[in-house]
Every structure is written in structure tokens, then in C-alpha cells.
Amino acid sequence: MSASALSTLTAALLMVTGVSAPQPVSVSARVETPAVYDDEAGGNADADDPAVWVDPRDPGRSLVIATLKEAGLDVYGLDGKRLQHIAAPAAPGEDAAPGRFNNVDVVYGFELGGRKTDLALVSDRGRDRIRAYAIDPAAVAAGRPPLKDVTVADAAPVFSASEAEVDDQRTAYGLAAFSDDDHAYAVVSRRSETRVRLLRLEDRGGRVGYKSEDTLDLPASFTLPNGSGWTPCADPGDHAQVEGMVVDQEENVLYAAQEDVGLWRVDLDDEEFGRPKLIDRVREYGTPWTYDAEEEECVIDTANDPGFGGEHLSADAEGATIYHAADGKGYLLASSQGDNTFAVYERQGGNAYLGSFAVTDSAATDGVQHSDGAAVVNVPLGRSFPKGLLVTHDGEAAPADGEREGTDFKFTRWDAVAGAFSKPLTIDTKSFDPRDPD
């Protein structure tokens, strides 16, 4: 279902049920990247998910690395200017799908070829692989392209049993990377399925490979409090997929956003997934629906909503990211794509909901709509972002270029987000270093 359709359905659901949505506070972005366009002239570029790499020598030279789906990757400076473009791999054959980069995350200090190397990891949805790019701080300082592909040539599909199955496109989708002791991992979700897989990264002759450590299948259907069964909205043959994910490295916890269901919390212990716990539900949870084959979309029956949904997220539940503070404090942020807001939860305890915010129009930038991915860092990043940075995908960049609908990324100061709440959120620039999370 399109993001605009979800937004309309959410508004209708609230009118029917009489549930009052909590009023989000407003913040404005400081910087935006150039708009990209998902058409032939724009190279079929569709912005989706960002990650932030912190420069070890000069945090003001830190990078934002972001996926453009079929168009590959862009690398930006903190001023929003593009520093490097990396194309997605071409199709290996005439009838095969080309590369399509969906999500990205960063791992620091991976032992590669005998050297500590920072990596950008990307889920290649088109080819069902994980691709790895070494990040060179010296290249950043010298103004050279900083990313280099270091993926093993024989990287195996993450989920597919064969190349023919790869082309069915039930492939690597969402991604969250983390380090634990001397090892690095990626959690990867499967498109159109509820499956999530834990991969361990390996150095194979100076290139990055991976092997599977564990697999988790989240529920595809649910028993509601009134005893009836409910299956989330999906195209025929599809199930409720996960995309937005983040791992709290200090607490060894995975947070996974199942788009039409809600937010899951999953403990990670000894390279295994624990029992998942649903900590919040989307508003549409439990509402009956039918599939309109002509329009190829779900139609939610708002008049018969049983009232079992949550109050803070409108489907799709999307990008998840962690703001770290001392003593286990801080926040889990999640994109509520259907109403263009971001929900804020406590990082500790039971992940209590604290409020929501929206990134709205300002003189410098337009606002954020239908956001997929997000990434936040607490550390100072030079003069522009001295109290930390939040990067969000914007699914509706404005102004439009005629009939071309653009997408981009917005950079917002964390202190602007924190200060917008009546009880300001924590600003802690010292207690957590993403390069040394322990």
C-alpha cells in the first residue's frame, strides 16, 4: 500500500473510532540533500535509508551514507552535498534482477586483512546479498571518494536457495549492523516474509563474507483479545514484512518494525534470537480488510475496527534508531509513516512511550513525509551539529520538479528535537561513543 493511501486510511480510522492521536511537537531540519527522482532521467533513484559514519579524526567531516534502491548508494557530507555515488550491481543475466540497495548501516573497526576497517553494510534486495564497503578516513580528509567495495566475489544469497529463487525477490530487505566482543554481525529481514536472519561477518582473504548464525520467524497472524484471528494487510501471497531495525549494542537488544503490526523487542544472547515481545502496535492492528485486485491494494474496513490497535504508530511502522545516553538511558525512535511523525520511547525498562515529533517546513528546508529510514548519533559532529544529528528519509521532497516526485534526506540537530518537547529530552554527547560501544 502506498504511503499516501496509508495516511488517508489512518485519518479515516481516527474519525470512525473517535481516538485522539497525540499531538506531535514540530522541529525543522537544518540541511537537506539534493532531491533524486525515480525515473529514467534520474537513474531510477529512490531515496530510502541513511546511516551516519563518524570520522575518527575530525567529526565535522563525518559522512551520511544512504541508499537509493535501484540507483545504488550516495555519500554526503554534513552540508548535504554529494561526495560519491556508487551504482548498484548490474543484472548478472538478461532475465535476472539487477542490484537494488535497500538498507544501510555502519560497523566500526572490523578486522579486515589485518587492519581495523570501518564498513558500510548494504542489503542488496535485488540480488539477495549483503554488500560491504570499506570507509577510508584518509580519503575523506583528502577529498577522494571514501567508499570501496570489499564484498567477497562469491557472496551467497542471504535467503534464496538458488539464483532462480533470487529473481522471485523474496530477498534481503531491512538491515541492522552491530559489534559484539571481537565479532561483527548484521540482522537482515526478508522481503514479503516475517523472517529475520542473524549473519556473522567474516574476513575472507581481505574481503567481507558472512555466514548464518540464527533465524527468527515473527508471527504472520494474530489472535485478538476477543478471540478472533487476524492477519495483517498484505498483497496476495505476501506476509507482514519487517524493514526498519536497530540493535542496541549496549543492551544486546534488537528492535524490529513489522510494518503493518508494530514494534518488536528481541533479546540477542550468544548469537541467538530470544523470544520476541511486541512493545507497541500500529493503529490499524486488528482492523479487518479486503484486497482490491483492480487497484492492487488493501482496503481497510475502518467501520468495523475492533479497537485493538495502538495509539502512537500509523502503518507502516518503519525506520528505527537508538539515541544513547548514560546508565542505559536514551531513546528508541520509530518512524510512523502513515501520519508523518516519529514516536519516541524510553530506551530502558519497558520502553514507555514519551511523545512524537514531526519534521516540518522551515525557511531552509521542507518537512518530512512518509519517512522510511532514520539514523541518530549523540556525539558532536562539528559546528553544524554540535549536540548530535538525526537523519531522516523524506519520501516527498518539495518543491516537486513538475510532475516528477522527488525524495531526499533531511539532517536535523538533535538539540532541536530534544528541546521541542515540553519536558526536554536528554542531550548526552559524552557517555556513548559509537566507535567504542562498550
Side-chain angles (χ1 to χ4, degrees):
M1 185 182 300
S2 69
S4 58
L6 283 168
S7 186
T8 301
L9 286 168
T10 298
L13 179 61
L14 293 176
M15 286 190 292
V16 170
T17 61
V19 176
S20 296
Q23 292 299 308
V25 300
S26 295
V27 302
S28 296
R30 183 182 183 92
V31 171
E32 62 184 354
T33 62
V36 298
Y37 299 94
D38 191 11
D39 55 23
E40 185 176 355
N44 301 315
D46 186 7
D48 191 275
D49 186 56
V52 179
W53 172 79
V54 179
D55 190 298
R57 301 185 181 94
D58 182 354
R61 287 198 305 247
S62 298
L63 304 174
V64 174
I65 304 164
T67 60
L68 305 178
K69 296 185 181 176
E70 191 174 332
L73 277 180
D74 266 353
V75 182
Y76 306 100
L78 295 181
D79 58 1
K81 293 181 179 178
R82 184 184 290 114
L83 303 177
Q84 184 180 6
H85 175 74
I86 297 173
E94 183 177 349
D95 297 325
R100 185 179 176 93
F101 287 174
N102 209 67
N103 278 192
V104 59
D105 208 347
V106 169
V107 165
Y108 294 99
F110 180 72
E111 192 77 27
L112 185 65
R115 299 180 61 182
K116 295 287 187 181
T117 305
D118 296 342
L119 300 174
L121 300 179
V122 180
S123 58
D124 184 347
R125 162 182 162 185
R127 301 307 312 149
D128 196 23
R129 265 75 172 180
I130 300 304
R131 303 206 65 84
Y133 295 86
I135 307 169
D136 183 359
V140 176
R144 302 192 307 271
L147 267 61
K148 178 184 177 182
D149 192 345
V150 291
T151 314
V152 290
D154 60 348
V158 177
F159 294 104
S160 305
S162 66
E163 289 302 321
E165 189 175 325
V166 168
D167 296 330
D168 291 337
Q169 292 297 284
R170 292 179 182 265
T171 48
Y173 199 58
L175 179 144
F178 68 102
S179 299
D180 183 14
D181 297 325
D182 296 326
H183 304 295
Y185 302 87
V187 181
V188 187
S189 66
R190 189 175 194 182
R191 181 175 179 265
S192 301
E193 301 289 350
T194 68
R195 178 159 290 185
V196 178
R197 180 155 287 167
L198 178 63
L199 306 177
R200 177 173 165 178
L201 303 187
E202 297 181 324
D203 178 0
R204 300 180 185 170
R207 311 285 288 187
V208 178
Y210 46 84
K211 67 176 183 178
S212 177
E213 293 287 350
D214 198 16
T215 300
L216 171 67
D217 289 314
L218 292 170
S221 59
F222 299 83
T223 300
L224 300 177
N226 62 6
S228 65
W230 177 74
T231 300
C233 167
D235 291 343
D238 288 353
H239 300 104
Q241 67 188 12
V242 168
E243 183 174 9
M245 296 187 293
V246 66
V247 172
D248 186 332
Q249 297 189 99
E250 291 182 305
E251 302 297 329
N252 294 317
V253 171
L254 165 70
Y255 294 97
Q258 195 173 13
E259 295 179 348
D260 293 299
V261 177
L263 272 174
W264 293 92
R265 176 183 173 126
V266 184
D267 289 336
L268 296 169
D269 185 23
D270 294 331
E271 302 174 2
E272 293 183 351
F273 293 113
R275 181 187 295 271
K277 177 182 179 182
L278 190 62
I279 62 172
D280 204 356
R281 302 179 302 277
V282 297
R283 292 184 175 96
E284 298 81 357
Y285 180 93
T287 305
W289 57 276
T290 57
Y291 186 77
D292 186 329
E294 184 174 342
E295 297 295 329
E296 296 184 342
E297 66 179 18
C298 300
V299 179
I300 297 181
D301 183 7
T302 56
N304 290 298
D305 170 34
F308 300 134
E311 299 180 3
H312 316 128
L313 297 170
S314 291
D316 292 345
E318 289 284 354
T321 186
I322 295 285
Y323 181 87
H324 292 268
D327 301 322
K329 298 179 181 178
Y331 310 102
L332 165 66
L333 312 182
S335 172
S336 174
Q337 190 181 72
D339 64 0
N340 306 320
T341 65
F342 297 84
V344 182
Y345 304 85
E346 286 185 348
R347 180 176 160 230
Q348 60 186 181
N351 300 115
Y353 171 76
L354 300 175
S356 294
F357 67 92
V359 182
T360 56
D361 294 349
S362 71
T365 69
D366 67 301
V368 169
Q369 289 80 39
H370 321 310
S371 186
D372 273 348
V376 67
V377 291
N378 66 302
V379 295
L381 299 181
R383 294 182 178 179
S384 295
F385 302 97
K387 304 292 186 180
L389 167 66
L390 171 67
V391 183
T392 52
H393 159 257
D394 178 11
E396 192 177 310
D401 181 9
E403 295 184 356
R404 304 173 80 202
E405 296 182 354
T407 54
D408 63 10
F409 298 92
K410 299 295 196 289
F411 302 177
T412 304
R413 289 172 57 137
W414 174 254
D415 49 323
V417 176
F421 287 80
S422 56
K423 181 181 180 181
L425 302 180
T426 296
I427 299 172
D428 184 344
T429 62
K430 297 181 179 179
S431 65
F432 178 81
D433 180 354
R435 292 185 159 279
D436 185 17
D438 297 328

